[in-house]
Amino acid sequence: DQSSAGIIMLQTELERQNSRYGHIASSLRNRLVESEMARIKIQDHLSSRMEVDARREDELKVQWNELTNRVIEDKEWVDEQMGYWKESMEEHRRRLSTSKTRG
């Protein structure tokens, strides 16, 4: 009778522990699912941010190239204007020199 009571007590304890471990396993599975969903959400967010950053970088490259081309064009225009100014000054000096030698 005592051994039957001991066996029943051990079975009851075993069932209690199995139930407890079952709840723990279920809780861990739920946490794992939640963690995976959070990871996927973060990964999606990161992916979309990377796409936005890549587009922004491409736009900045285009703007940089446009500005660089504008600077080159402006430099060419300034060089051309300086050439005209130089020619004009040389012509003015020649005329001045010619008028001095005549006068």
Side-chain angles (χ1 to χ4, degrees):
D1 203 27
Q2 225 179 15
S3 64
S4 285
I7 291 174
I8 290 173
M9 196 171 83
L10 287 175
Q11 284 178 333
T12 304
E13 180 64 21
L14 185 61
E15 287 172 1
R16 189 182 66 75
Q17 286 183 3
N18 282 341
S19 175
R20 183 171 172 240
Y21 293 140
H23 289 297
I24 291 172
S26 176
S27 177
L28 289 174
R29 276 193 296 274
N30 289 340
R31 285 186 179 184
L32 181 62
V33 168
E34 290 171 3
S35 295
E36 180 64 12
M37 290 179 73
R39 185 194 66 77
I40 289 170
K41 185 177 177 181
I42 290 171
Q43 186 177 5
D44 289 346
H45 180 71
L46 179 61
S47 177
S48 68
R49 289 292 304 178
M50 289 175 67
E51 288 174 15
V52 168
D53 288 349
R55 277 195 303 268
R56 200 172 288 153
E57 184 177 337
D58 289 343
E59 290 170 2
L60 286 173
K61 284 178 184 177
V62 167
Q63 289 176 353
W64 176 260
N65 289 336
E66 289 172 354
L67 287 172
T68 301
N69 289 337
R70 194 174 310 153
V71 166
I72 290 170
E73 290 170 2
D74 288 350
K75 183 190 178 313
E76 290 171 353
W77 181 83
V78 167
D79 289 346
E80 186 179 302
Q81 296 303 312
M82 288 297 291
Y84 292 148
W85 179 79
K86 224 180 208 180
E87 288 176 19
S88 175
M89 289 304 293
E90 288 172 4
E91 182 64 31
H92 181 69
R93 281 190 197 128
R94 274 187 247 127
R95 286 184 193 157
L96 191 60
S97 176
T98 304
S99 68
K100 282 184 182 178
T101 54
R102 287 186 185 169

